[in-house]
Amino acid sequence: WVRLRPHSNTVATEDFFLGGRDVSWWAIGLSLFASNLGTDHLVGLAGAGAASGLSVGSYEWSATYTLVILGWVFVPHYLKARIFTTPEYLEKRFSPSLRTAFTWLTLASILLTKVSVTLFAGGVIMRVLFGWNIYVSVAVLLSITALYSTVGGLGAVMYTEVLQAALLFVGSFVLLYYGM
């Protein structure tokens, strides 16, 4: 869904990328959950857990300590320096050319791994539900995502991820019920 903004011709970069700094804590938490644990991750971990046991889960739980250290030790320094992204840090610490190289490397790796798999999975689901061609399905998914991301910025993306988190919770509990 698209977050409506006041009528203004200029939207500051900070407002666009940080959601206007008025997003509630629960929306931030659910957005982090949904962006970290998508349906592809949920299904993949369940399959890996069924194949190899609890070792996969313990690896995932170890990320908790890393996130706590990041949140309590490093984030205050980043906020004090007004650094909001990893490329910004790399530019301030090293050089603008490293920022550019890292940005392109990150975009390429995300597009070739996570985004392509997620779009394919969404296209398969839309083909099953609506009978659409997979390429049409992917084009529709990309168009809708580009529209609400461009119009609403990070705020719109975060509230969309809140909805996705709710769907992940409900779907997981339904699967758990039928699996028992």
PDB file of all heavy atoms in Angstrom, residues 36 57-70:
ATOM      1  N   ASN A  36      14.049  -9.866   6.314  1.00  0.00           N
ATOM      2  CA  ASN A  36      15.067 -10.883   6.579  1.00  0.00           C
ATOM      3  C   ASN A  36      14.546 -12.282   6.288  1.00  0.00           C
ATOM      4  O   ASN A  36      15.258 -13.124   5.770  1.00  0.00           O
ATOM      5  CB  ASN A  36      15.530 -10.794   8.041  1.00  0.00           C
ATOM      6  CG  ASN A  36      16.618 -11.790   8.359  1.00  0.00           C
ATOM      7  OD1 ASN A  36      17.514 -12.029   7.553  1.00  0.00           O
ATOM      8  ND2 ASN A  36      16.539 -12.399   9.513  1.00  0.00           N
ATOM      9  N   GLY A  57      18.966 -24.444  12.441  1.00  0.00           N
ATOM     10  CA  GLY A  57      18.329 -23.506  13.360  1.00  0.00           C
ATOM     11  C   GLY A  57      19.302 -22.858  14.313  1.00  0.00           C
ATOM     12  O   GLY A  57      19.200 -21.666  14.610  1.00  0.00           O
ATOM     13  N   SER A  58      20.272 -23.617  14.794  1.00  0.00           N
ATOM     14  CA  SER A  58      21.245 -23.027  15.721  1.00  0.00           C
ATOM     15  C   SER A  58      22.121 -22.001  15.015  1.00  0.00           C
ATOM     16  O   SER A  58      22.514 -20.997  15.607  1.00  0.00           O
ATOM     17  CB  SER A  58      22.098 -24.112  16.377  1.00  0.00           C
ATOM     18  OG  SER A  58      22.926 -24.738  15.431  1.00  0.00           O
ATOM     19  N   TYR A  59      22.404 -22.234  13.747  1.00  0.00           N
ATOM     20  CA  TYR A  59      23.161 -21.244  12.979  1.00  0.00           C
ATOM     21  C   TYR A  59      22.369 -19.945  12.869  1.00  0.00           C
ATOM     22  O   TYR A  59      22.901 -18.857  13.036  1.00  0.00           O
ATOM     23  CB  TYR A  59      23.494 -21.796  11.587  1.00  0.00           C
ATOM     24  CG  TYR A  59      24.108 -20.772  10.677  1.00  0.00           C
ATOM     25  CD1 TYR A  59      25.431 -20.398  10.828  1.00  0.00           C
ATOM     26  CD2 TYR A  59      23.355 -20.166   9.682  1.00  0.00           C
ATOM     27  CE1 TYR A  59      26.008 -19.442  10.000  1.00  0.00           C
ATOM     28  CE2 TYR A  59      23.921 -19.210   8.849  1.00  0.00           C
ATOM     29  CZ  TYR A  59      25.239 -18.857   9.014  1.00  0.00           C
ATOM     30  OH  TYR A  59      25.788 -17.916   8.207  1.00  0.00           O
ATOM     31  N   GLU A  60      21.071 -20.053  12.598  1.00  0.00           N
ATOM     32  CA  GLU A  60      20.232 -18.868  12.478  1.00  0.00           C
ATOM     33  C   GLU A  60      20.112 -18.139  13.808  1.00  0.00           C
ATOM     34  O   GLU A  60      20.093 -16.911  13.854  1.00  0.00           O
ATOM     35  CB  GLU A  60      18.842 -19.236  11.947  1.00  0.00           C
ATOM     36  CG  GLU A  60      18.833 -19.661  10.497  1.00  0.00           C
ATOM     37  CD  GLU A  60      19.226 -18.539   9.545  1.00  0.00           C
ATOM     38  OE1 GLU A  60      18.840 -17.379   9.772  1.00  0.00           O
ATOM     39  OE2 GLU A  60      19.919 -18.829   8.560  1.00  0.00           O
ATOM     40  N   TRP A  61      20.015 -18.858  14.914  1.00  0.00           N
ATOM     41  CA  TRP A  61      19.921 -18.225  16.229  1.00  0.00           C
ATOM     42  C   TRP A  61      21.205 -17.487  16.582  1.00  0.00           C
ATOM     43  O   TRP A  61      21.178 -16.518  17.346  1.00  0.00           O
ATOM     44  CB  TRP A  61      19.609 -19.255  17.311  1.00  0.00           C
ATOM     45  CG  TRP A  61      18.145 -19.508  17.432  1.00  0.00           C
ATOM     46  CD1 TRP A  61      17.466 -20.591  16.972  1.00  0.00           C
ATOM     47  CD2 TRP A  61      17.179 -18.649  18.037  1.00  0.00           C
ATOM     48  NE1 TRP A  61      16.133 -20.466  17.249  1.00  0.00           N
ATOM     49  CE2 TRP A  61      15.925 -19.277  17.912  1.00  0.00           C
ATOM     50  CE3 TRP A  61      17.239 -17.421  18.671  1.00  0.00           C
ATOM     51  CZ2 TRP A  61      14.756 -18.713  18.385  1.00  0.00           C
ATOM     52  CZ3 TRP A  61      16.065 -16.864  19.140  1.00  0.00           C
ATOM     53  CH2 TRP A  61      14.842 -17.504  19.006  1.00  0.00           C
ATOM     54  N   SER A  62      22.355 -17.924  16.051  1.00  0.00           N
ATOM     55  CA  SER A  62      23.612 -17.241  16.363  1.00  0.00           C
ATOM     56  C   SER A  62      23.637 -15.821  15.799  1.00  0.00           C
ATOM     57  O   SER A  62      24.415 -14.986  16.273  1.00  0.00           O
ATOM     58  CB  SER A  62      24.803 -18.045  15.852  1.00  0.00           C
ATOM     59  OG  SER A  62      24.827 -18.052  14.439  1.00  0.00           O
ATOM     60  N   ALA A  63      22.808 -15.535  14.828  1.00  0.00           N
ATOM     61  CA  ALA A  63      22.738 -14.176  14.284  1.00  0.00           C
ATOM     62  C   ALA A  63      22.198 -13.193  15.319  1.00  0.00           C
ATOM     63  O   ALA A  63      22.463 -11.986  15.231  1.00  0.00           O
ATOM     64  CB  ALA A  63      21.855 -14.156  13.044  1.00  0.00           C
ATOM     65  N   THR A  64      21.464 -13.688  16.301  1.00  0.00           N
ATOM     66  CA  THR A  64      20.916 -12.825  17.346  1.00  0.00           C
ATOM     67  C   THR A  64      22.019 -12.057  18.055  1.00  0.00           C
ATOM     68  O   THR A  64      21.907 -10.851  18.282  1.00  0.00           O
ATOM     69  CB  THR A  64      20.127 -13.675  18.364  1.00  0.00           C
ATOM     70  OG1 THR A  64      19.162 -14.440  17.663  1.00  0.00           O
ATOM     71  CG2 THR A  64      19.459 -12.813  19.399  1.00  0.00           C
ATOM     72  N   TYR A  65      23.101 -12.741  18.421  1.00  0.00           N
ATOM     73  CA  TYR A  65      24.193 -12.086  19.137  1.00  0.00           C
ATOM     74  C   TYR A  65      24.846 -11.012  18.274  1.00  0.00           C
ATOM     75  O   TYR A  65      25.171  -9.927  18.755  1.00  0.00           O
ATOM     76  CB  TYR A  65      25.229 -13.118  19.578  1.00  0.00           C
ATOM     77  CG  TYR A  65      24.614 -14.274  20.320  1.00  0.00           C
ATOM     78  CD1 TYR A  65      24.631 -15.557  19.781  1.00  0.00           C
ATOM     79  CD2 TYR A  65      23.987 -14.076  21.544  1.00  0.00           C
ATOM     80  CE1 TYR A  65      24.049 -16.614  20.465  1.00  0.00           C
ATOM     81  CE2 TYR A  65      23.399 -15.132  22.233  1.00  0.00           C
ATOM     82  CZ  TYR A  65      23.438 -16.395  21.682  1.00  0.00           C
ATOM     83  OH  TYR A  65      22.850 -17.438  22.340  1.00  0.00           O
ATOM     84  N   THR A  66      25.008 -11.309  17.019  1.00  0.00           N
ATOM     85  CA  THR A  66      25.605 -10.339  16.103  1.00  0.00           C
ATOM     86  C   THR A  66      24.726  -9.104  15.978  1.00  0.00           C
ATOM     87  O   THR A  66      25.226  -7.971  15.999  1.00  0.00           O
ATOM     88  CB  THR A  66      25.808 -10.978  14.715  1.00  0.00           C
ATOM     89  OG1 THR A  66      26.561 -12.177  14.864  1.00  0.00           O
ATOM     90  CG2 THR A  66      26.513 -10.035  13.767  1.00  0.00           C
ATOM     91  N   LEU A  67      23.435  -9.300  15.860  1.00  0.00           N
ATOM     92  CA  LEU A  67      22.525  -8.163  15.736  1.00  0.00           C
ATOM     93  C   LEU A  67      22.487  -7.316  17.010  1.00  0.00           C
ATOM     94  O   LEU A  67      22.405  -6.089  16.949  1.00  0.00           O
ATOM     95  CB  LEU A  67      21.121  -8.647  15.377  1.00  0.00           C
ATOM     96  CG  LEU A  67      20.978  -9.225  13.976  1.00  0.00           C
ATOM     97  CD1 LEU A  67      19.592  -9.830  13.778  1.00  0.00           C
ATOM     98  CD2 LEU A  67      21.248  -8.163  12.931  1.00  0.00           C
ATOM     99  N   VAL A  68      22.548  -7.952  18.164  1.00  0.00           N
ATOM    100  CA  VAL A  68      22.572  -7.204  19.423  1.00  0.00           C
ATOM    101  C   VAL A  68      23.843  -6.371  19.527  1.00  0.00           C
ATOM    102  O   VAL A  68      23.805  -5.192  19.892  1.00  0.00           O
ATOM    103  CB  VAL A  68      22.420  -8.155  20.637  1.00  0.00           C
ATOM    104  CG1 VAL A  68      22.724  -7.446  21.937  1.00  0.00           C
ATOM    105  CG2 VAL A  68      21.023  -8.750  20.668  1.00  0.00           C
ATOM    106  N   ILE A  69      24.976  -6.957  19.183  1.00  0.00           N
ATOM    107  CA  ILE A  69      26.238  -6.212  19.207  1.00  0.00           C
ATOM    108  C   ILE A  69      26.180  -5.050  18.218  1.00  0.00           C
ATOM    109  O   ILE A  69      26.573  -3.919  18.538  1.00  0.00           O
ATOM    110  CB  ILE A  69      27.430  -7.139  18.906  1.00  0.00           C
ATOM    111  CG1 ILE A  69      27.632  -8.116  20.070  1.00  0.00           C
ATOM    112  CG2 ILE A  69      28.699  -6.341  18.640  1.00  0.00           C
ATOM    113  CD1 ILE A  69      28.621  -9.225  19.773  1.00  0.00           C
ATOM    114  N   LEU A  70      25.671  -5.311  17.024  1.00  0.00           N
ATOM    115  CA  LEU A  70      25.547  -4.254  16.023  1.00  0.00           C
ATOM    116  C   LEU A  70      24.664  -3.126  16.544  1.00  0.00           C
ATOM    117  O   LEU A  70      24.995  -1.946  16.415  1.00  0.00           O
ATOM    118  CB  LEU A  70      24.968  -4.821  14.721  1.00  0.00           C
ATOM    119  CG  LEU A  70      24.758  -3.832  13.584  1.00  0.00           C
ATOM    120  CD1 LEU A  70      26.095  -3.326  13.087  1.00  0.00           C
ATOM    121  CD2 LEU A  70      23.979  -4.484  12.464  1.00  0.00           C
TER     122      LEU A  70
END
